[in-house]
Coordinates of all heavy atoms in Angstrom, one line a residue:
E1 N 19.5 -142.4 26.8 CA 19.4 -143.7 27.5 C 20.6 -144.0 28.4 O 20.5 -144.9 29.2 CB 19.0 -144.8 26.6 CG 20.0 -145.1 25.5 CD 19.7 -144.4 24.2 OE1 19.0 -143.4 24.2 OE2 20.2 -144.8 23.2
L2 N 21.7 -143.3 28.1 CA 22.9 -143.5 28.9 C 22.6 -143.2 30.4 O 23.3 -143.7 31.3 CB 24.1 -142.7 28.4 CG 24.7 -143.1 27.1 CD1 25.7 -142.1 26.6 CD2 25.3 -144.5 27.2
L3 N 21.7 -142.3 30.6 CA 21.3 -141.9 32.0 C 20.0 -142.6 32.3 O 19.8 -143.1 33.5 CB 21.2 -140.4 32.2 CG 20.6 -139.9 33.5 CD1 21.5 -140.4 34.7 CD2 20.6 -138.4 33.5
A4 N 19.1 -142.6 31.4 CA 17.7 -143.1 31.6 C 17.7 -144.6 32.1 O 17.1 -145.0 33.1 CB 16.8 -143.0 30.4
K5 N 18.5 -145.4 31.4 CA 18.5 -146.8 31.7 C 19.1 -147.1 33.1 O 18.4 -147.8 33.9 CB 19.4 -147.5 30.7 CG 19.0 -148.9 30.3 CD 19.8 -149.5 29.2 CE 19.2 -150.8 28.7 NZ 19.9 -151.3 27.6
P6 N 20.2 -146.6 33.5 CA 20.7 -146.9 34.9 C 19.8 -146.3 36.0 O 19.7 -146.9 37.0 CB 22.1 -146.3 34.9 CG 22.5 -145.8 33.6 CD 21.2 -145.9 32.7
A7 N 19.2 -145.2 35.6 CA 18.3 -144.6 36.6 C 16.9 -145.2 36.7 O 16.1 -145.0 37.6 CB 18.1 -143.1 36.3
G8 N 16.6 -146.1 35.7 CA 15.3 -146.8 35.7 C 14.2 -145.8 35.2 O 13.0 -146.0 35.6
L9 N 14.5 -144.8 34.4 CA 13.5 -143.9 34.0 C 12.8 -144.5 32.7 O 13.4 -145.2 32.0 CB 14.2 -142.5 33.6 CG 14.8 -141.8 34.8 CD1 15.6 -140.6 34.3 CD2 13.8 -141.4 35.7
P10 N 11.6 -144.1 32.6 CA 10.8 -144.7 31.4 C 11.3 -144.2 30.1 O 11.8 -143.0 30.0 CB 9.4 -144.2 31.7 CG 9.5 -143.0 32.5 CD 10.7 -143.2 33.4
V11 N 11.3 -145.0 29.1 CA 11.7 -144.5 27.7 C 10.5 -143.7 27.2 O 9.4 -144.3 27.0 CB 12.0 -145.7 26.8 CG1 12.3 -145.3 25.4 CG2 13.1 -146.5 27.4
S12 N 10.7 -142.5 27.0 CA 9.7 -141.6 26.5 C 10.3 -140.3 25.9 O 11.4 -140.0 26.2 CB 8.6 -141.2 27.5 OG 9.2 -140.3 28.5
S13 N 9.5 -139.6 25.1 CA 10.1 -138.4 24.5 C 10.2 -137.3 25.7 O 11.2 -136.5 25.6 CB 9.2 -137.8 23.4 OG 7.9 -137.6 23.9
A14 N 9.4 -137.4 26.7 CA 9.5 -136.4 27.8 C 10.8 -136.7 28.6 O 11.5 -135.8 29.0 CB 8.3 -136.6 28.7
T15 N 11.1 -138.0 28.8 CA 12.4 -138.3 29.5 C 13.6 -137.9 28.7 O 14.5 -137.3 29.2 CB 12.5 -139.8 29.8 OG1 11.4 -140.2 30.6 CG2 13.7 -140.2 30.4
D16 N 13.5 -138.1 27.4 CA 14.6 -137.7 26.5 C 14.8 -136.2 26.5 O 16.0 -135.7 26.6 CB 14.3 -138.1 25.0 CG 14.5 -139.6 24.8 OD1 14.9 -140.3 25.7 OD2 14.2 -140.0 23.7
V17 N 13.7 -135.4 26.5 CA 13.9 -134.0 26.6 C 14.5 -133.5 27.9 O 15.4 -132.7 27.9 CB 12.5 -133.3 26.4 CG1 12.5 -131.8 26.8 CG2 11.9 -133.4 25.0
L18 N 14.1 -134.1 29.0 CA 14.7 -133.7 30.3 C 16.2 -134.1 30.4 O 17.0 -133.3 30.9 CB 13.9 -134.3 31.4 CG 12.5 -133.7 31.6 CD1 11.7 -134.5 32.7 CD2 12.6 -132.3 32.0
I19 N 16.5 -135.3 29.9 CA 17.9 -135.7 30.0 C 18.7 -134.9 29.0 O 19.9 -134.5 29.4 CB 18.0 -137.2 29.7 CG1 17.4 -138.0 30.9 CG2 19.5 -137.6 29.5 CD1 17.3 -139.5 30.7
R20 N 18.2 -134.6 27.9 CA 19.0 -133.7 26.9 C 19.2 -132.3 27.5 O 20.2 -131.7 27.3 CB 18.3 -133.7 25.6 CG 18.5 -134.9 24.8 CD 18.0 -134.8 23.4 NE 18.4 -136.0 22.6 CZ 17.6 -136.9 22.1 NH1 16.3 -136.8 22.4 NH2 18.1 -137.9 21.5
S21 N 18.2 -131.8 28.3 CA 18.4 -130.5 29.0 C 19.5 -130.6 30.0 O 20.4 -129.7 30.0 CB 17.0 -130.2 29.6 OG 17.2 -129.0 30.3
I22 N 19.5 -131.7 30.8 CA 20.6 -131.9 31.8 C 21.9 -132.0 31.0 O 22.9 -131.4 31.4 CB 20.3 -133.1 32.6 CG1 19.1 -132.9 33.5 CG2 21.6 -133.5 33.4 CD1 18.7 -134.2 34.2
G23 N 21.9 -132.7 29.9 CA 23.1 -132.9 29.2 C 23.7 -131.6 28.6 O 24.9 -131.3 28.6
G24 N 22.8 -130.8 28.1 CA 23.2 -129.5 27.6 C 23.8 -128.6 28.6 O 24.8 -127.9 28.4
Q25 N 23.1 -128.5 29.8 CA 23.6 -127.7 30.9 C 25.0 -128.2 31.4 O 25.9 -127.4 31.6 CB 22.6 -127.6 32.0 CG 21.3 -126.9 31.6 CD 20.2 -127.2 32.6 OE1 20.5 -127.5 33.8 NE2 19.0 -127.0 32.2
D26 N 25.1 -129.5 31.5 CA 26.3 -130.0 32.0 C 27.5 -130.0 31.0 O 28.6 -129.8 31.4 CB 26.1 -131.4 32.5 CG 25.4 -131.5 33.9 OD1 25.2 -130.4 34.5 OD2 25.1 -132.6 34.3
T27 N 27.1 -130.0 29.7 CA 28.1 -129.8 28.7 C 28.7 -128.4 28.8 O 29.9 -128.2 28.8 CB 27.6 -130.0 27.3 OG1 27.1 -131.4 27.2 CG2 28.6 -129.8 26.2
A28 N 27.8 -127.4 29.0 CA 28.3 -126.0 29.2 C 29.2 -125.9 30.4 O 30.2 -125.2 30.4 CB 27.1 -125.1 29.3
L29 N 28.8 -126.5 31.5 CA 29.6 -126.5 32.7 C 31.0 -127.2 32.5 O 32.0 -126.7 32.9 CB 28.9 -127.2 33.9 CG 27.7 -126.4 34.5 CD1 26.9 -127.3 35.5 CD2 28.2 -125.2 35.2
G30 N 31.0 -128.3 31.8 CA 32.2 -129.0 31.5 C 33.1 -128.1 30.7 O 34.3 -128.0 30.9
L31 N 32.6 -127.5 29.6 CA 33.4 -126.6 28.8 C 33.9 -125.4 29.6 O 35.0 -125.0 29.4 CB 32.6 -126.2 27.5 CG 32.3 -127.3 26.6 CD1 31.3 -126.8 25.5 CD2 33.6 -127.9 26.0
G32 N 33.1 -124.9 30.5 CA 33.5 -123.8 31.3 C 34.7 -124.2 32.2 O 35.7 -123.5 32.3
L33 N 34.7 -125.5 32.7 CA 35.8 -126.0 33.5 C 37.0 -126.1 32.7 O 38.2 -125.9 33.1 CB 35.4 -127.3 34.2 CG 34.4 -127.2 35.3 CD1 34.0 -128.6 35.7 CD2 35.0 -126.5 36.5
L34 N 36.9 -126.5 31.4 CA 38.0 -126.7 30.5 C 38.7 -125.3 30.1 O 39.9 -125.3 30.0 CB 37.6 -127.4 29.2 CG 37.5 -128.9 29.3 CD1 36.9 -129.4 28.0 CD2 38.9 -129.5 29.5
F35 N 37.9 -124.3 30.0 CA 38.4 -123.1 29.4 C 38.4 -121.9 30.3 O 39.0 -120.8 29.9 CB 37.6 -122.7 28.1 CG 37.8 -123.8 27.1 CD1 36.7 -124.6 26.7 CD2 39.0 -124.0 26.4 CE1 36.8 -125.6 25.7 CE2 39.2 -125.0 25.5 CZ 38.1 -125.8 25.1
A36 N 37.9 -122.0 31.5 CA 37.9 -120.8 32.4 C 39.4 -120.5 32.9 O 40.2 -121.4 33.0 CB 37.1 -121.1 33.7
R37 N 39.6 -119.2 33.0 CA 41.0 -118.9 33.5 C 41.1 -119.3 34.9 O 40.2 -119.3 35.7 CB 41.1 -117.3 33.4 CG 41.2 -116.8 32.0 CD 41.4 -115.3 32.1 NE 41.4 -114.9 30.7 CZ 42.1 -113.8 30.3 NH1 42.8 -113.1 31.1 NH2 42.0 -113.5 29.0
P38 N 42.3 -119.8 35.3 CA 42.6 -120.1 36.7 C 42.3 -118.9 37.6 O 42.5 -117.8 37.2 CB 44.1 -120.5 36.7 CG 44.4 -120.9 35.3 CD 43.5 -120.0 34.4
G39 N 41.8 -119.3 38.8 CA 41.5 -118.2 39.8 C 40.0 -118.2 40.0 O 39.3 -119.2 39.9
P40 N 39.4 -117.0 40.2 CA 38.0 -116.8 40.5 C 37.1 -117.4 39.4 O 36.1 -118.0 39.8 CB 37.8 -115.3 40.6 CG 39.1 -114.8 40.9 CD 40.1 -115.7 40.2
A41 N 37.4 -117.3 38.2 CA 36.5 -117.8 37.1 C 36.4 -119.4 37.2 O 35.3 -119.9 37.1 CB 37.0 -117.4 35.7

């Protein structure tokens, strides 16, 4: 709901699944930014 509420998305299990999917992918990207070696990676 941290994303659903400001975006005005309906409260539903389908919305939760999609937002959790976005959250999982972006968590991986964030961790990649934290731990990737400087340079091309």
Side-chain angles (χ1 to χ4, degrees):
E1 60 268 20
L2 291 172
L3 175 58
K5 213 173 191 180
L9 297 171
V11 175
S12 71
S13 60
T15 300
D16 285 357
V17 166
L18 291 174
I19 291 175
R20 284 188 171 111
S21 177
I22 292 169
Q25 292 168 21
D26 285 354
T27 298
L29 287 170
L31 292 173
L33 289 170
L34 277 172
F35 297 111
R37 290 181 184 211

